[in-house]
Amino acid sequence: MAKESTVQLPKKESILIANWKMNKTIREALKYVEVLPPLLEGVTMPIWLSVPFTAIHPVRQRLGNPFVIGAQNMNDATSGAFTGEIAAVMIKEAGGDFVLLGHSERRQYFHESDEFINRKVLRALESSLRPVLCIGEGYEDREGDKTQAVLERQLTEGLKGVMPEQILTCLIAYEPIWAIGTGKTATPELVAQTHAMIRQVISSLYGDDTASRMTVLYGGSVSPSTAATLSATEGVDGFLVGTASLDPESFAKIAHLSENAHP
Ligand code: PGA
């Protein structure tokens, strides 16, 4: 009989992440974080805020634990002649603890490749930033039965070189492109099916045990009206919320609804 491993792997985390995208000045961000904490009373689920670079430091200074602050992108290089770019160490020193990587808007509008995203994942890990690897298929991929191939490629390429002992530092956010900012939410059946597919890929790369502990978030038009059903959906460990996170009231509502599903 195989010997039980004595290595204590971290427990699976359920996390709620706000993705403000290119919204909120420092002044607006500070107003938001003043309003948010009392609205979250009773919520024990970790709340992560992915804010514009300029807001990381002021928001970190203002919000104590247990809030986690992060960025929405970074460069793969440590420093150098890359005008307009931001390095992982800069995010870290500003008070960021995580970074969204491979968001579909970065892939689409800034032509980021899986290979580039992979270099960022490795750099983030090296710099003690937790990468949230965003993956998702387009409408045509879904219609053309290519979802599995697309997600498999994004995961396999994006996680290349990530060691077994590092993988649970990463989070996966599944965001079907056709559901982002469109008001079209994927059905719970589709989400459950796709999250299972993602876990299968993780399992083929890192084993069943790790796959079952991996945090896999859902994102794409999550709102107070869809959060309850989606958070009760098999395999969903939390959300990455864009539009509905911009208003502290609706974001807090989503937090309470998610909390009920993951007490
Ligand atoms: P959305 O954005 O909630 O506005 O669809 C989600 C995201 O892009 O992370």
Side-chain angles (χ1 to χ4, degrees), residues 114-186:
D114 287 312
E115 198 219 333
F116 186 38
I117 294 162
N118 174 242
R119 291 203 304 269
K120 297 186 195 206
V121 168
L122 298 177
R123 184 67 69 202
L125 286 168
E126 186 192 287
S127 314
S128 305
L129 279 180
R130 294 188 69 178
V132 179
L133 176 63
C134 304
I135 59 168
E137 80 287 2
Y139 181 73
E140 276 159 25
D141 302 323
R142 174 65 63 181
E143 289 297 295
D145 223 5
K146 296 203 181 82
T147 302
Q148 171 137 12
V150 168
L151 299 180
E152 232 174 78
R153 191 202 69 228
Q154 291 175 339
L155 283 167
T156 312
E157 297 293 312
L159 296 174
K160 208 173 254 175
V162 175
M163 296 294 145
E165 63 274 18
Q166 295 176 304
I167 185 62
L168 292 174
T169 307
C170 305
L171 280 76
I172 305 296
Y174 167 59
E175 300 197 300
I177 299 171
W178 46 271
I180 294 179
T182 57
K184 282 190 197 138
T185 322

Side-chain angles (χ1 to χ4, degrees), residues 171-257:
L171 280 76
I172 305 296
Y174 167 59
E175 300 197 300
I177 299 171
W178 46 271
I180 294 179
T182 57
K184 282 190 197 138
T185 322
T187 61
E189 294 72 29
L190 184 145
V191 173
Q193 215 179 56
T194 316
H195 276 231
M197 188 191 284
I198 290 166
R199 247 177 254 283
Q200 243 168 41
V201 179
I202 303 288
S203 168
S204 70
L205 296 171
Y206 296 97
D208 280 355
D209 197 34
T210 300
S212 68
R213 287 179 156 84
M214 188 90 205
T215 297
V216 185
L217 309 175
Y218 171 76
S221 297
V222 174
S223 70
S225 55
T226 56
T229 320
L230 283 169
S231 56
T233 300
E234 180 80 30
V236 173
D237 305 316
F239 300 127
L240 177 55
V241 188
T243 313
S245 76
L246 294 176
D247 167 32
E249 306 248 347
S250 70
F251 186 55
K253 270 190 202 142
I254 295 172
H256 284 281
L257 293 163

